[in-house]
């Protein structure tokens, strides 16, 4: 792989990127999504689960399908599914806060979730919001979720950036594919024990704390033997 150019912007996904998927928070939120469809739309649990999975495949996130096809209110949905005890699942990570303080490029959160959920996640992690130029959420993206290219265009416009100036750090290969193929971003996959994905992302790391070292090593030209 060619050396990675020093980025001017680092875009961070939120859920299961800044914290490990093993903590169970997203499993709880997925349960809340199914519960929302049962309570608000009157579907059976089996139908709700089938639609949740189908809308994720077809639209990127369940909410986009619910909003477009069933007129679900975005604010009501976000408040319901994120009404979870964040601090009971997410452990403080002072090393992450220190690493973000050392990383010189401008930084932003780029999430399909809500602003309030992102702030609660950061609070539970003990990570200061001052590290980030913005928290770019589903509403800021005009209700266009990743991997819809329009979401990426909108955050680039918000930051005044080009794609080739950015690194996107994500746990989802589909979102990274759009970033790379459409906008020329450098891509970093955060996925424990998934080093088979190296050909699909520029860098693969086991956890977010490896980012600083991985970017540094990727920028160094390889010595010829």
């Amino acid at each position: 792989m060619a050396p990675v150019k020093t980025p001017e912007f680092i875009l961070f996904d939120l859920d299961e990127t800044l914290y490990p998927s093993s903590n169970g928070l997203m499993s709880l939120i997925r349960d809340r999504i199914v519960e929302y469809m049962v309570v608000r739309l009157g579907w059976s649990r089996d139908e709700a689960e089938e639609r949740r999975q189908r809308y994720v495949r077809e639209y990127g996130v369940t909410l986009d399908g619910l909003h477009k096809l069933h007129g679900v209110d975005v604010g009501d949905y976000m408040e319901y599914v994120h009404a979870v005890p964040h601090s009971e699942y997410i452990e403080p990570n002072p090393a992450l806060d220190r690493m973000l303080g050392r990383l010189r490029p401008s930084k932003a959160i780029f999430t399909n979730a809500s602003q309030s959920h992102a702030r609660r996640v950061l609070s539970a992690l003990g990570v200061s919001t001052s590290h980030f130029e913005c928290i770019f959420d589903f509403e800021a993206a005009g209700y266009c979720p990743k991997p819809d290219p329009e979401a990426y265009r909108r955050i680039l416009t918000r930051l005044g950036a080009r794609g080739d100036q950015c690194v996107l750090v994500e746990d989802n290969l589909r979102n990274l594919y759009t970033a790379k193929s459409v906008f020329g971003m450098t891509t970093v996959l955060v996925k424990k024990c998934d080093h088979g994905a190296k050909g699909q992302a520029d860098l693969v790391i086991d956890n977010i704390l490896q980012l600083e070292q991985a970017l540094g090593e990727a920028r160094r030209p390889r010595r010829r033997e």
Side-chain angles (χ1 to χ4, degrees), residues 28-46:
L28 178 61
I29 289 174
R30 282 188 284 270
D31 288 344
R32 296 282 298 173
I33 291 170
V34 170
E35 184 180 308
Y36 179 90
M37 291 186 277
V38 171
V39 172
R40 293 286 197 264
L41 299 173
W43 296 340
S44 70
R45 189 163 294 275
D46 286 345

Side-chain angles (χ1 to χ4, degrees), residues 14-210:
L14 183 78
D15 291 305
E16 300 190 325
T17 296
L18 294 186
Y19 61 82
S21 60
S22 59
N23 70 16
L25 180 65
M26 282 306 297
S27 293
L28 178 61
I29 289 174
R30 282 188 284 270
D31 288 344
R32 296 282 298 173
I33 291 170
V34 170
E35 184 180 308
Y36 179 90
M37 291 186 277
V38 171
V39 172
R40 293 286 197 264
L41 299 173
W43 296 340
S44 70
R45 189 163 294 275
D46 286 345
E47 181 181 8
E49 177 59 29
E50 187 277 327
R51 286 179 184 260
R52 184 192 70 78
Q53 294 183 33
R54 173 153 49 95
Y55 292 165
V56 169
R57 288 194 305 270
E58 295 177 0
Y59 295 95
V61 293
T62 307
L63 174 56
D64 201 31
L66 292 176
H67 179 62
K68 288 177 176 176
L69 300 180
H70 307 284
V72 161
D73 180 82
V74 172
D76 180 62
Y77 173 95
M78 289 291 194
E79 182 177 356
Y80 191 102
V81 304
H82 293 136
V84 294
H86 293 72
S87 59
E88 292 182 15
Y89 287 81
I90 298 175
E91 295 183 359
N93 192 343
L96 175 59
D97 188 64
R98 292 192 297 269
M99 184 190 76
L100 290 168
R102 291 191 301 267
L103 289 170
R104 293 298 91 207
S106 294
K107 294 170 284 293
I109 297 292
F110 184 22
T111 178
N112 285 336
S114 66
Q115 177 102 195
S116 62
H117 170 66
R119 291 183 179 278
R120 281 179 280 172
V121 167
L122 294 173
S123 176
L125 284 167
V127 167
S128 173
T129 57
S130 65
H131 294 305
F132 304 102
E133 185 169 331
C134 66
I135 297 174
F136 198 85
D137 67 348
F138 186 67
E139 183 177 3
Y143 303 150
C144 295
K146 295 176 287 183
D148 188 328
E150 185 59 28
Y152 301 75
R153 291 191 186 96
R154 293 190 181 207
I155 191 171
L156 290 174
T157 298
R158 166 66 178 80
L159 296 172
R162 301 190 313 270
D164 64 357
Q165 296 174 312
C166 299
V167 169
L168 177 61
V169 185
E170 263 273 4
D171 69 308
N172 188 315
L173 273 172
R174 185 162 64 154
N175 295 342
L176 292 175
Y177 178 80
T178 299
K180 184 72 173 180
S181 63
V182 179
F183 298 97
M185 295 184 189
T186 297
T187 55
V188 181
L189 177 68
V190 184
K191 187 75 76 171
K192 190 171 181 62
C193 301
D194 197 9
H195 293 282
K198 281 185 177 178
Q200 303 173 67
D202 293 308
L203 299 169
V204 180
I205 57 179
D206 290 335
N207 67 73
I208 192 65
L209 293 179
Q210 296 173 348

Side-chain angles (χ1 to χ4, degrees), residues 207-222:
N207 67 73
I208 192 65
L209 293 179
Q210 296 173 348
L211 177 65
E212 186 177 23
Q213 181 180 354
L215 289 175
E217 290 178 350
R219 287 197 296 269
R220 299 187 194 109
R222 293 182 180 179

